[in-house]
Amino acid sequence: MKKTLAVLEGDGIGPEIMREGIKALRTIEKKFDHEFVLEYAPFGAASYFDEGSPFPDETKALCDRADAIIKGPVGLSIEETKKIPQESRPELGAILPLRKRFNTYANYRPVRLPKSLASFSPLRDSVVGEGIDILMIRELVGGIYFGEKEEGTATGMKYARDDCIYTEEQVRAIGMVAFDEARRLGVKMTHVHKSNVLATSRLWDAIIEDMAREYDDVEYVSIIVDNAAFQLVRDPTQFNGVMLLENMQGDILTDQAGGLLGSLGLMPSACMGPEKGYVEPAHGSAPDIAGQNIANPYSMIGSIAFLLDKCLGLKEESDALWNAMFDILERGYATSELASEITDPKNVLSTSDFGDMVVDILSH
Ligand code: IPM
Ligand code: MN
């Protein structure tokens, strides 16, 4: 297969974890006899400082013609971010416009920790039990992040407003993604919402409940978001299966899920639209550890595994990448943020060590 892929390395640890992701991708390309044409383009805060825009026109044009997009994390420290005007910051000026451009409404964030890796989690082994295996599906182009925003002063008092709007069409589309995945995987589907307070959540709850009747072969659970946050820490495996969340609630609970696993470095993601998708780690650019070769590249390599499967339909290639990464971790290796007193110091891997091991496993 020949495909053109846009590569947006991003900021902070972006370039170094991307390097390992691309190493893994090149190994897959050779092993399975594909041709991936990789085209790099600026995106994010560095792009703003170098090119005057966090999402320059040439990058947009490249993304338009590419078959899929591989994006690294973007952003700067809070102090550095303040040097950029609001609308040109990586979040509002690059990530949200990228999502909007390709209408990537379906965000897949897997939360996987087999029993054998329970020591990574801050939770007790007994709580991790037989292992965590949740596929969080977050609506990504609607709700409060995309609603109209206003900041003003009225009768001498400052105020601000963020509109949260969802339509039936949007909810049905993402509901279908979640129910189809649950059906395909043969697992239950949990819908998370705040229908006891929010009108948008009531709409979601009514539509998803209605759809549950159409998907009567899929076990369906409905839960209020604050309770879900509590239950996720107390007994996460009760949610094994698919969890469906609206945009903001999904943003928050997917980071909490990274906490359950012991590291956001274990959180890859795929963002799928009707025509094309892009992949990105679910975490930020970690400027505090950038350039030290200690960041965990799992989230980036896992995102590329997602791209192979979801964007290019290459399931076997994708599985080979996932298996290589789990193999490394299950053999007792860990990047520094995951290492604990039970990790042999010789088994603590740098960013590039981890990538090298993936390449090594794939090449045998
Ligand atoms: C994420 C990030 C983004 C989001 C930010 C950087 C805009 O936190 O992908 O989870 O809120 O969606
Ligand atoms: Mn987030």
Side-chain angles (χ1 to χ4, degrees), residues 136-210:
M136 290 191 168
I137 296 185
R138 167 187 174 197
E139 198 290 324
L140 203 59
V141 294
I144 197 165
Y145 289 15
F146 285 89
E148 209 172 283
K149 303 185 186 332
E150 189 190 344
E151 282 152 293
T153 308
T155 55
M157 190 80 83
K158 284 186 189 155
Y159 71 92
R161 179 173 65 85
D162 294 283
D163 284 354
C164 183
I165 301 181
Y166 271 110
T167 65
E168 176 168 7
E169 190 185 5
Q170 283 175 305
V171 178
R172 279 201 176 270
I174 190 73
M176 210 146 99
V177 170
F179 275 117
D180 284 344
E181 283 290 337
R183 177 179 275 169
R184 191 176 66 79
L185 298 167
V187 294
K188 77 169 166 189
M189 206 297 270
T190 303
H191 175 225
V192 180
H193 55 84
K194 187 73 184 172
S195 67
N196 51 350
V197 175
L198 301 177
T200 43
S201 276
R202 273 197 297 280
L203 177 77
W204 273 72
D205 193 34
I207 294 171
I208 299 300
E209 202 175 292
D210 192 40

Side-chain angles (χ1 to χ4, degrees), residues 46-74:
S47 174
Y48 170 78
F49 290 117
D50 296 345
E51 317 277 328
S53 164
F55 192 10
D57 287 344
E58 311 84 83
T59 303
K60 289 183 181 142
L62 167 62
C63 292
D64 288 349
R65 70 170 183 276
D67 294 296
I69 301 152
I70 309 173
K71 175 194 152 295
V74 297

Side-chain angles (χ1 to χ4, degrees), residues 15-34:
E16 58 202 279
I17 60 174
M18 184 67 83
R19 206 170 303 130
E20 303 315 310
I22 297 302
K23 251 160 60 180
L25 182 65
R26 287 296 190 203
T27 311
I28 291 282
E29 177 184 39
K30 215 182 301 156
K31 185 179 168 104
F32 292 88
D33 205 20
H34 297 301

Side-chain angles (χ1 to χ4, degrees), residues 8-9 13-14 17-18 70-74 95 99 107-109 255 264-271 278-285 296-304:
L8 317 178
E9 292 179 288
I13 58 170
I17 60 174
M18 184 67 83
I70 309 173
K71 175 194 152 295
V74 297
I95 301 183
R99 291 175 181 168
N107 181 213
Y108 295 77
R109 295 191 166 177
D255 259 39
L264 277 171
L266 295 177
M267 289 292 291
S269 90
C271 313
Y278 84 91
V279 296
E280 64 180 355
H283 56 71
S285 62
N296 188 350
Y298 175 106
S299 58
M300 193 71 243
I301 300 173
S303 297
I304 289 175

